[in-house]
């Protein structure tokens, strides 16, 4: 029988997952379309590789095992799987059509709603993915300022201007890489030192897990304004989650441009670029940013329904309340079990991070150990609590009970120096997304 959300005696059977992987591995390069969803982020031999369906905050894999999901589609499932109001909007629109030969009325409906709830949304562009709109923001910032250079902090997608500053920058000309550099979050001096007369824009995630300190975001806005540089907020994770109006509403800091995806359509593929009208008007004739599927109506319908539900149900407050129970509960359990020196849960309540650190132990092996034991207990977990509206009190209670059972096992494994040997398969690989040490300049190759 497949495992359920309980204290199962056995690890989940993943035969069908492994069969699908064997079919895929020779013809897909790599097998995953999203790095954070791939098998490298889960311990082999225990974790399923393929999911089949979801409902609320639960998912079932292709072998029928059920799990509480704390990844939530790597962010987009802010309300939960198969949420009735959103699915009804999608179904109703499906009867009328998906993609049309002219503009659709929902484009106007969504734009008006976004204009009302997002502080800087004087003008709006609609696209499909986060990388679309961050790259469009860079292009229009360059056009508006007449400058070339970009300063970034966080993760911003796969396009050349950003990936050039990472370790996976093959295929990007050095001339392009030379135009991008990074700065350290919460270090305004690192920004001041990097800014020059050719800096078109500064783009960052308003926060990843660490909170802004010493009024950092406001200082950043002031420094950018003084230099004639546009400030861009990448709100893929903060938008519609920390507040309906995102980090701009929550912190009271208005960026020149802001980018959104993930949370505001409950899983449908759509993204937004918002900002100052005098900047955004360049898209009318001077800057090209168009896509056939930008007006795809199912996603538009889902976005309108999701945002309206967030307003009606005050979803960000609910996410915070539920996430607080997990964040504080985890830290309390760590303290009660004597594990607080080795692990902690940090971040904002709507999205928190569990981290590990013990002398002589690989943190990824510690994470892998906890992950495999949580899979046994019916929890899909990658070290995050990505909260959704339909996580229940029972889900949270079961998760805390699982932590209370697993942390002593980790403690014993550390004491016996056997964390690595107790892993059932290959451990989790390093995450591509960085959460610290952002102030790393591109390496210029020697001639």
């Amino acid at each position: 029988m497949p495992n359920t959300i309980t204290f199962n005696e056995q690890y989940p059977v993943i035969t069908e997952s492994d069969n699908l992987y064997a079919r895929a591995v020779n013809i897909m390069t790599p097998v995953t379309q999203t790095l954070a969803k791939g098998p490298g982020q889960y311990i082999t031999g225990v974790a399923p590789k393929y999911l089949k369906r979801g409902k609320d905050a639960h998912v079932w894999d292709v072998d029928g095992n059920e799990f509480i999901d704390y990844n939530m589609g790597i962010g987009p499932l802010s309300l939960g799987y198969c949420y009735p109001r959103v699915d009804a909007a999608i179904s109703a629109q499906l009867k009328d059509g998906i993609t049309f030969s002219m503009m659709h009325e929902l484009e106007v409906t969504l734009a008006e709603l976004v204009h009302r709830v997002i502080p800087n949304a004087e003008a709006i562009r609609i696209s499909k993915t986060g990388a679309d709109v961050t790259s469009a923001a860079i292009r229009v910032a360059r056009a508006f300022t007449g400058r070339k250079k970009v300063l970034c902090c966080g993760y911003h997608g796969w396009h050349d201007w950003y990936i050039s500053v990472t370790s996976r920058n093959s295929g990007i000309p050095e001339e392009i890489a030379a135009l991008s550099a990074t700065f350290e979050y919460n270090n305004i001096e690192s920004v001041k030192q990097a800014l020059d007369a050719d800096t078109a824009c500064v783009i960052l995630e308003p926060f990843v897990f660490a909170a802004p300190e010493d009024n950092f975001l406001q200082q950043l806005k002031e420094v950018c304004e003084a230099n004639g540089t546009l400030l861009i907020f990448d709100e893929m994770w903060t938008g519609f989650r920390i507040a309906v109006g995102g980090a701009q509403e929550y912190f009271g800091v208005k960026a020149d441009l802001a980018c959104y995806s993930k949370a505001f359509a409950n899983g449908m593929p759509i993204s937004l670029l918002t900002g100052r009208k005098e900047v955004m008007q360049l898209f009318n004739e001077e800057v090209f940013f168009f896509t056939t599927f930008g007006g795809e109506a199912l996603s538009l319908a889902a976005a309108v329904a999701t945002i309206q539900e967030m307003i009606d149900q005050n979803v960000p407050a609910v996410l915070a309340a539920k996430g607080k129970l997990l964040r504080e509960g985890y830290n309390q359990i760590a303290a009660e079990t004597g594990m607080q020196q080795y692990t902690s849960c940090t971040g904002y309540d709507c999205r928190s991070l569990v981290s590990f650190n013990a002398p002589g132990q690989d943190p990824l092996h510690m994470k892998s150990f906890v992950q495999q034991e949580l899979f046994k207990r019916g929890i899909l977990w990658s070290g995050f609590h990505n909260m959704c509206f339909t996580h229940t009190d029972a889900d949270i209670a079961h998760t805390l009970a699982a932590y209370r059972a697993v942390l002593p096992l980790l403690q014993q494994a550390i004491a016996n120096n056997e964390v690595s040997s107790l892993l059932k398969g290959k451990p989790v690989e390093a995450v591509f997304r960085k959460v610290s040490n952002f102030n790393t300049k591109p390496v210029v190759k020697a001639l």
Side-chain angles (χ1 to χ4, degrees):
M1 291 290 293
N3 280 7
T4 59
I5 298 172
T6 187
F7 282 64
N8 300 284
E9 294 185 6
Q10 304 296 328
Y11 295 100
V13 173
I14 55 172
T15 304
E16 194 56 35
S17 263
D18 286 342
N19 289 340
L20 283 167
Y21 181 77
R23 289 164 54 189
V25 70
N26 291 323
I27 56 173
M28 301 178 71
T29 53
V31 295
T32 182
Q33 316 315 309
T34 306
L35 191 61
K37 297 181 183 182
Q41 297 305 306
Y42 299 99
I43 183 164
T44 58
V46 174
K49 298 178 177 66
Y50 295 91
L51 298 178
K52 190 176 185 69
R53 66 185 179 93
K55 176 59 181 169
D56 297 333
H58 294 197
V59 290
W60 288 259
D61 69 12
V62 291
D63 289 276
N65 301 297
E66 182 183 0
F67 305 94
I68 303 169
D69 187 359
Y70 285 108
N71 286 347
M72 300 311 299
I74 320 301
L77 278 299
S78 51
L79 299 177
Y81 293 93
C82 298
Y83 195 81
R85 182 173 184 175
V86 179
D87 285 6
I90 295 170
S91 296
Q93 181 55 47
L94 182 61
K95 295 176 182 177
D96 288 341
I98 303 170
T99 298
F100 295 86
S101 300
M102 299 179 75
M103 298 178 292
H104 193 274
E105 62 181 332
L106 281 172
E107 296 175 49
V108 181
T109 303
L110 176 60
E112 289 177 336
L113 181 57
V114 169
H115 176 72
R116 178 161 60 91
V117 301
I118 293 180
N120 84 331
E122 296 175 9
I124 294 127
R125 297 288 295 146
I126 304 169
S127 193
K128 299 308 290 180
T129 72
D132 289 350
V133 289
T134 55
S135 295
I138 299 302
R139 181 178 293 178
V140 77
R142 284 170 164 163
F144 183 79
T145 61
R147 302 175 180 183
K148 298 177 182 178
K149 293 182 182 178
V150 175
L151 287 179
C152 55
C153 177
Y155 172 77
H156 307 293
W158 67 272
H159 292 294
D160 289 6
W161 68 268
Y162 168 70
I163 287 297
S164 64
V165 305
T166 75
S167 60
R168 298 190 67 164
N169 58 3
S170 294
I172 299 172
E174 292 180 3
E175 296 84 351
I176 300 297
L179 298 177
S180 296
T182 63
F183 64 94
E184 185 179 5
Y185 189 76
N186 271 336
N187 184 347
I188 197 65
E189 292 303 317
S190 73
V191 181
K192 292 177 180 178
Q193 292 168 12
L195 283 173
D196 63 21
D198 198 30
T199 305
C201 58
V202 169
I203 182 170
L204 80 161
E205 298 177 81
F207 64 81
V208 179
F209 292 103
E213 299 172 356
D214 299 324
N215 213 15
F216 175 70
L217 296 178
Q218 183 61 44
Q219 287 190 71
L220 186 60
K221 178 181 174 66
E222 293 168 0
V223 166
C224 287
E225 283 184 347
N227 196 61
T229 295
L230 296 189
L231 176 61
I232 305 171
F233 279 179
D234 178 343
E235 293 225 42
M236 303 305 155
W237 280 106
T238 55
F240 300 92
R241 186 174 273 105
I242 192 72
V244 174
Q248 295 182 102
E249 175 189 333
Y250 188 81
F251 294 109
V253 178
K254 193 181 291 188
D256 297 296
L257 299 168
C259 308
Y260 303 84
S261 190
K262 295 189 185 292
F264 74 89
N266 201 46
M268 291 295 282
I270 189 169
S271 58
L272 296 170
L273 172 57
T274 68
R276 287 165 49 192
K277 198 161 192 175
E278 62 179 320
V279 179
M280 297 283 286
Q281 70 178 355
L282 296 182
F283 286 120
N284 286 331
E285 294 183 0
E286 298 177 48
V287 176
F288 192 88
F289 174 44
F290 297 96
T291 174
T292 300
F293 296 108
E296 177 264 306
L298 301 186
S299 295
L300 296 171
V304 171
T306 300
I307 296 171
Q308 196 60 60
E309 185 74 351
M310 288 180 160
I311 296 168
D312 293 347
Q313 302 296 332
N314 196 9
V315 168
V318 176
L319 299 183
K322 294 181 179 185
K324 183 178 182 180
L325 294 174
L326 280 174
R327 182 181 58 79
E328 292 185 347
Y330 183 91
N331 289 329
Q332 181 179 343
I333 292 167
E336 290 173 356
T337 57
M339 285 289 289
Q340 71 271 25
Q341 60 184 321
Y342 301 139
T343 183
S344 63
C345 185
T346 59
Y348 282 83
D349 292 331
C350 62
R351 179 177 179 253
S352 56
L353 169 71
V354 176
S355 56
F356 301 93
N357 186 25
Q361 303 293 333
D362 187 327
L364 286 176
H365 289 196
M366 296 172 69
K367 175 181 176 179
S368 300
F369 179 87
V370 171
Q371 187 188 71
Q372 80 175 16
E373 297 307 313
L374 290 179
F375 271 120
K376 186 178 181 181
R377 291 157 176 82
I379 299 171
L380 194 168
W381 177 95
S382 292
F384 308 103
H385 300 132
N386 291 332
M387 303 309 298
C388 82
F389 186 63
T390 46
H391 277 116
T392 65
D393 291 343
D395 292 334
I396 293 168
H398 176 76
T399 303
L400 292 175
Y403 283 143
R404 193 174 296 279
V406 170
L407 285 185
L409 298 178
L410 177 62
Q411 183 182 45
Q412 182 178 2
I414 293 170
N416 296 334
N417 196 28
E418 57 183 9
V419 174
S420 299
S421 64
L422 289 174
L423 299 181
K424 303 300 181 182
K426 184 180 176 182
V428 173
E429 297 174 358
V431 181
F432 177 64
R433 162 186 280 271
K434 295 167 64 176
V435 296
S436 62
N437 192 29
F438 291 122
N439 195 22
T440 305
K441 306 302 181 188
V443 177
V444 179
K445 297 179 181 179
L447 298 176

